[in-house]
Coordinates of all heavy atoms in Angstrom, one line a residue:
G218 N 26.7 -19.6 -1.2 CA 26.4 -20.9 -1.4 C 25.3 -21.5 -0.5 O 24.9 -22.6 -0.5
L219 N 24.8 -20.6 0.4 CA 23.7 -21.0 1.4 C 22.4 -21.2 0.7 O 21.6 -21.9 1.2 CB 23.6 -19.9 2.4 CG 24.7 -19.7 3.4 CD1 24.5 -18.5 4.3 CD2 24.9 -21.0 4.3
R220 N 22.2 -20.7 -0.5 CA 21.0 -20.9 -1.2 C 20.6 -22.3 -1.4 O 19.5 -22.7 -1.1 CB 21.0 -20.1 -2.6 CG 19.8 -20.4 -3.5 CD 20.1 -19.8 -4.9 NE 21.3 -20.4 -5.5 CZ 21.4 -21.5 -6.1 NH1 20.3 -22.3 -6.2 NH2 22.5 -22.0 -6.6
K221 N 21.6 -23.1 -1.9 CA 21.3 -24.5 -2.1 C 21.0 -25.2 -0.8 O 20.1 -26.1 -0.8 CB 22.6 -25.2 -2.8 CG 22.3 -26.6 -3.2 CD 23.6 -27.2 -3.9 CE 23.3 -28.6 -4.4 NZ 22.8 -29.6 -3.3
L222 N 21.6 -24.9 0.3 CA 21.4 -25.5 1.6 C 19.9 -25.2 2.0 O 19.2 -26.1 2.5 CB 22.3 -25.0 2.6 CG 22.2 -25.5 4.0 CD1 22.5 -27.0 4.1 CD2 23.1 -24.8 5.0
I223 N 19.5 -24.0 1.9 CA 18.2 -23.6 2.3 C 17.1 -24.2 1.4 O 16.1 -24.8 1.8 CB 18.0 -22.1 2.2 CG1 18.9 -21.4 3.3 CG2 16.5 -21.7 2.5 CD1 18.9 -19.9 3.2
I224 N 17.3 -24.2 0.1 CA 16.4 -24.7 -0.9 C 16.2 -26.2 -0.6 O 15.1 -26.8 -0.6 CB 16.8 -24.5 -2.3 CG1 16.6 -23.0 -2.7 CG2 16.0 -25.4 -3.3 CD1 15.2 -22.6 -2.8
D225 N 17.3 -26.9 -0.5 CA 17.3 -28.4 -0.3 C 16.6 -28.8 1.0 O 16.1 -29.8 1.2 CB 18.7 -29.0 -0.3 CG 19.3 -28.9 -1.7 OD1 18.6 -28.7 -2.7 OD2 20.6 -29.1 -1.8
G226 N 16.7 -27.8 2.0 CA 16.1 -28.1 3.3 C 14.6 -27.9 3.5 O 14.0 -28.4 4.4
I227 N 14.0 -27.1 2.6 CA 12.6 -26.8 2.6 C 11.8 -28.0 2.0 O 12.1 -28.4 0.9 CB 12.2 -25.6 1.9 CG1 13.0 -24.4 2.5 CG2 10.7 -25.3 2.0 CD1 12.9 -24.1 3.9
P228 N 11.0 -28.7 2.7 CA 10.3 -29.9 2.2 C 9.4 -29.5 1.0 O 8.9 -28.4 0.8 CB 9.4 -30.3 3.3 CG 9.2 -29.1 4.2 CD 10.5 -28.4 4.1
H229 N 9.3 -30.5 0.1 CA 8.6 -30.3 -1.2 C 7.2 -29.9 -0.9 O 6.6 -29.1 -1.7 CB 8.7 -31.6 -2.0 CG 7.9 -31.5 -3.3 ND1 8.3 -30.7 -4.4 CD2 6.7 -32.1 -3.6 CE1 7.4 -30.9 -5.3 NE2 6.4 -31.7 -4.9
S230 N 6.6 -30.5 0.1 CA 5.2 -30.2 0.4 C 4.9 -28.8 0.7 O 3.9 -28.2 0.3 CB 4.7 -31.1 1.6 OG 5.5 -30.8 2.7
L231 N 5.8 -28.1 1.4 CA 5.7 -26.7 1.8 C 5.9 -25.8 0.6 O 5.3 -24.8 0.4 CB 6.6 -26.3 2.9 CG 6.2 -26.9 4.3 CD1 7.2 -26.3 5.4 CD2 4.8 -26.5 4.7
R232 N 6.9 -26.2 -0.3 CA 7.2 -25.4 -1.5 C 5.9 -25.5 -2.4 O 5.6 -24.5 -3.0 CB 8.4 -26.0 -2.2 CG 9.7 -25.5 -1.6 CD 10.9 -26.0 -2.4 NE 11.2 -27.4 -2.0 CZ 12.1 -28.1 -2.6 NH1 12.8 -27.6 -3.7 NH2 12.4 -29.3 -2.2
T233 N 5.3 -26.6 -2.5 CA 4.1 -26.8 -3.3 C 3.0 -25.9 -2.7 O 2.3 -25.2 -3.4 CB 3.7 -28.2 -3.4 OG1 4.7 -29.0 -4.0 CG2 2.4 -28.4 -4.2
A234 N 2.9 -26.0 -1.4 CA 1.8 -25.2 -0.7 C 1.9 -23.7 -0.9 O 0.9 -23.0 -1.0 CB 1.8 -25.6 0.8
I235 N 3.2 -23.2 -1.0 CA 3.4 -21.8 -1.2 C 2.8 -21.4 -2.5 O 2.2 -20.4 -2.7 CB 4.9 -21.5 -1.1 CG1 5.3 -21.7 0.3 CG2 5.1 -20.0 -1.5 CD1 6.8 -21.6 0.6
T236 N 3.1 -22.2 -3.5 CA 2.6 -21.9 -4.9 C 1.0 -21.9 -4.9 O 0.4 -21.0 -5.4 CB 3.0 -23.0 -5.9 OG1 4.5 -23.1 -5.9 CG2 2.5 -22.8 -7.3
V237 N 0.4 -22.9 -4.3 CA -1.0 -23.0 -4.3 C -1.6 -21.9 -3.5 O -2.6 -21.3 -3.9 CB -1.5 -24.4 -3.7 CG1 -3.0 -24.5 -3.5 CG2 -1.0 -25.5 -4.6
G238 N -1.0 -21.6 -2.3 CA -1.6 -20.6 -1.4 C -1.5 -19.2 -2.1 O -2.5 -18.4 -2.0
I239 N -0.5 -18.9 -2.8 CA -0.4 -17.6 -3.5 C -1.4 -17.6 -4.6 O -2.0 -16.5 -4.9 CB 1.1 -17.4 -3.9 CG1 2.0 -17.1 -2.8 CG2 1.1 -16.2 -4.9 CD1 3.4 -16.9 -3.1
G240 N -1.6 -18.7 -5.2 CA -2.6 -18.8 -6.3 C -4.0 -18.4 -5.7 O -4.8 -17.7 -6.3
M241 N -4.3 -19.0 -4.6 CA -5.6 -18.7 -4.0 C -5.7 -17.3 -3.5 O -6.8 -16.6 -3.6 CB -5.8 -19.7 -2.8 CG -5.9 -21.1 -3.1 SD -5.9 -22.3 -1.7 CE -7.5 -21.8 -1.0
F242 N -4.6 -16.7 -3.0 CA -4.6 -15.3 -2.6 C -4.8 -14.4 -3.8 O -5.6 -13.5 -3.8 CB -3.2 -15.0 -2.0 CG -3.1 -13.6 -1.5 CD1 -3.7 -13.2 -0.3 CD2 -2.3 -12.7 -2.2 CE1 -3.6 -11.9 0.2 CE2 -2.2 -11.4 -1.7 CZ -2.8 -11.0 -0.5
L243 N -4.1 -14.7 -4.9 CA -4.3 -13.9 -6.2 C -5.8 -14.0 -6.6 O -6.3 -13.0 -7.1 CB -3.4 -14.4 -7.3 CG -1.9 -14.0 -7.2 CD1 -1.2 -14.6 -8.3 CD2 -1.8 -12.5 -7.2
A244 N -6.4 -15.2 -6.5 CA -7.7 -15.4 -7.0 C -8.7 -14.5 -6.2 O -9.6 -13.9 -6.7 CB -8.1 -16.9 -6.9
L245 N -8.5 -14.5 -4.8 CA -9.3 -13.6 -4.0 C -9.2 -12.2 -4.3 O -10.2 -11.4 -4.4 CB -9.0 -13.9 -2.5 CG -9.8 -13.1 -1.5 CD1 -11.3 -13.4 -1.6 CD2 -9.4 -13.4 -0.1
V246 N -7.9 -11.7 -4.5 CA -7.7 -10.3 -4.9 C -8.4 -10.0 -6.2 O -9.0 -9.0 -6.4 CB -6.2 -10.1 -5.1 CG1 -5.9 -8.7 -5.7 CG2 -5.5 -10.1 -3.7
A247 N -8.3 -11.0 -7.2 CA -8.9 -10.7 -8.5 C -10.5 -10.7 -8.4 O -11.1 -9.8 -9.0 CB -8.6 -11.9 -9.4
L248 N -11.1 -11.5 -7.6 CA -12.5 -11.5 -7.5 C -13.0 -10.2 -6.8 O -14.0 -9.7 -7.2 CB -13.0 -12.7 -6.7 CG -12.8 -14.1 -7.3 CD1 -13.1 -15.2 -6.4 CD2 -13.7 -14.2 -8.6
K249 N -12.2 -9.7 -5.9 CA -12.5 -8.5 -5.2 C -12.4 -7.3 -6.2 O -13.2 -6.4 -6.2 CB -11.6 -8.3 -4.0 CG -11.8 -7.0 -3.3 CD -10.9 -6.9 -2.0 CE -11.1 -5.6 -1.3 NZ -10.6 -4.5 -2.0
S250 N -11.3 -7.3 -7.0 CA -11.1 -6.2 -7.9 C -12.2 -6.2 -9.0 O -12.6 -5.1 -9.5 CB -9.7 -6.3 -8.6 OG -8.7 -6.3 -7.7
A251 N -12.7 -7.3 -9.4 CA -13.7 -7.4 -10.4 C -15.1 -7.1 -9.8 O -16.0 -6.9 -10.6 CB -13.7 -8.8 -11.0
G252 N -15.2 -7.1 -8.5 CA -16.6 -6.9 -7.9 C -17.4 -8.1 -7.8 O -18.6 -8.1 -7.4
V253 N -16.8 -9.3 -8.1 CA -17.5 -10.6 -8.0 C -17.8 -10.9 -6.5 O -18.8 -11.5 -6.2 CB -16.7 -11.7 -8.6 CG1 -17.5 -13.0 -8.5 CG2 -16.5 -11.4 -10.2
V254 N -16.9 -10.6 -5.6 CA -17.1 -10.8 -4.2 C -17.1 -9.4 -3.5 O -16.4 -8.5 -4.0 CB -16.1 -11.7 -3.6 CG1 -16.1 -13.1 -4.2 CG2 -14.7 -11.2 -3.6
A255 N -17.8 -9.3 -2.5 CA -17.9 -8.0 -1.8 C -17.9 -8.3 -0.3 O -18.2 -9.4 0.2 CB -19.2 -7.2 -2.2
A256 N -17.6 -7.3 0.5 CA -17.6 -7.5 2.0 C -19.0 -7.7 2.5 O -20.0 -7.2 2.0 CB -17.0 -6.2 2.6
S257 N -19.1 -8.5 3.6 CA -20.4 -8.7 4.3 C -20.1 -8.8 5.8 O -19.3 -9.5 6.3 CB -21.0 -10.1 3.8 OG -22.1 -10.4 4.6

């Protein structure tokens, strides 16, 4: 039953940021895989 305690304790702003951050991370991985961005 600790799951509910942990989930309720994490602020909504950080939970939202995790979603957005992973989305940006996936986007960077995708652009690299496609060759749209390259190292400099």
Side-chain angles (χ1 to χ4, degrees):
L219 290 174
R220 174 188 55 83
K221 186 177 186 301
L222 180 65
I223 297 174
I224 288 291
D225 291 345
I227 305 302
H229 176 72
S230 58
L231 289 184
R232 279 182 280 174
T233 299
I235 293 171
T236 302
V237 175
I239 292 180
M241 296 171 68
F242 182 76
L243 284 178
L245 180 58
V246 169
L248 292 173
K249 179 176 178 292
S250 297
V253 176
V254 299
S257 168

